[in-house]
Amino acid sequence: MTTGPEVAQIPMRVADRLTEQLVPGGWRRHRFVPDDEVAFVREPFHGVVFHFGVNLAGGDGVSLSSSVGVEHAAAAELQRQLFGRTDAVCQVGASMTNLVHDAEPSKVTPFRWWVASTEQVDEAVGRVVADLVAYGEPFLVGNQTLPKLIETLLERPKSQVEYATLAVCLAVSGDLPGARAMLAKFGSVRPVFAGDTTGTFIHNFTERFGN
């Protein structure tokens, strides 16, 4: 049976093995919280940042479930300003579970990325990296231009999060009528942001781009 101290070593070992395998491909580790996640970024070209995060939270074991995201720097910075926030912004993202399921449903199992002992880390990390290459990279590359990112978001179900992102991305791309239409939807759907965040975003957006 795996002991508590051994399970506690899993996050660090996972983070180290991922770093060893991802750094040669241009990824940089920028966040590591042992009971939360390890996150990496890569800049394929100026102004675009790819994000890759792997879960490290668990009890008797850890499921190394992961997600990928794309950040267009100019739009992300504007989005932070309009919200009055400083945290990272990924305009579009996807869980690896969904990406694998969409491509090959039979490959998604509850234990695909499961690690219950340090001896299982290398195999599980190898699978995580292989899935990033096979399923994550096509998603990232497919959304590395702003028009494609907008197209992806328009095809998805939307909440305030997506409408805000679309408003900003359309404004940055020069489509102000489309941006204002997304802003109107942002203000009319069920709020998901706390406090006066909705009002702050609408006010700042109209101050910058007009009604």
Side-chain angles (χ1 to χ4, degrees):
M1 180 177 178
T2 303
T3 64
E6 183 179 353
V7 171
Q9 296 173 17
I10 290 174
M12 178 64 77
R13 188 163 299 190
V14 167
D16 288 345
R17 294 295 184 271
L18 281 169
T19 301
E20 291 169 4
Q21 295 197 36
L22 293 176
V23 165
W27 291 93
R28 173 177 58 84
R29 190 166 93 183
H30 82 109
R31 182 173 185 265
F32 171 54
V33 180
D35 59 351
D36 184 14
E37 72 163 357
V38 58
F40 298 83
V41 294
R42 189 177 95 217
E43 190 172 353
F45 52 85
H46 181 69
V48 174
V49 180
F50 290 164
H51 293 257
F52 178 53
V54 179
N55 173 67
L56 297 177
D60 296 330
V62 179
S63 176
L64 305 181
S65 55
S66 61
S67 61
V68 293
V70 180
E71 173 189 352
H72 286 256
E77 178 57 28
L78 176 58
Q79 198 161 339
R80 282 190 287 269
Q81 292 174 10
L82 297 180
F83 273 117
R85 295 161 59 179
T86 59
D87 49 331
V89 174
C90 283
Q91 284 96 357
V92 66
S95 71
M96 195 62 65
T97 299
N98 287 342
L99 291 175
V100 174
H101 180 271
D102 289 346
E104 301 179 77
S106 63
K107 287 193 173 183
V108 179
T109 69
F111 299 102
R112 182 174 180 82
W113 304 290
W114 183 255
V115 179
S117 69
T118 53
E119 288 77 14
Q120 297 173 336
V121 166
D122 287 353
E123 180 180 355
V125 166
R127 187 173 300 114
V128 169
V129 173
D131 287 342
L132 171 63
V133 172
Y135 308 105
E137 288 284 351
F139 176 86
L140 293 169
V141 172
N143 288 284
Q144 66 184 0
T145 68
L146 203 55
K148 179 56 183 174
L149 183 149
I150 291 170
E151 179 184 330
T152 297
L153 286 177
L154 287 172
E155 293 173 350
R156 288 184 168 186
K158 285 172 276 297
S159 69
Q160 272 196 319
V161 175
E162 288 76 23
Y163 284 127
T165 300
L166 279 167
V168 171
C169 291
L170 287 166
V172 169
S173 67
D175 182 2
L176 288 181
R180 293 186 183 109
M182 293 300 109
L183 182 68
K185 292 182 178 180
F186 169 84
S188 64
V189 297
R190 183 176 66 86
V192 298
F193 294 106
D196 195 38
T197 304
T198 297
T200 297
F201 182 84
I202 293 173
H203 171 78
N204 290 341
F205 189 96
T206 53
E207 281 282 305
R208 187 178 185 105
F209 296 107
N211 292 312

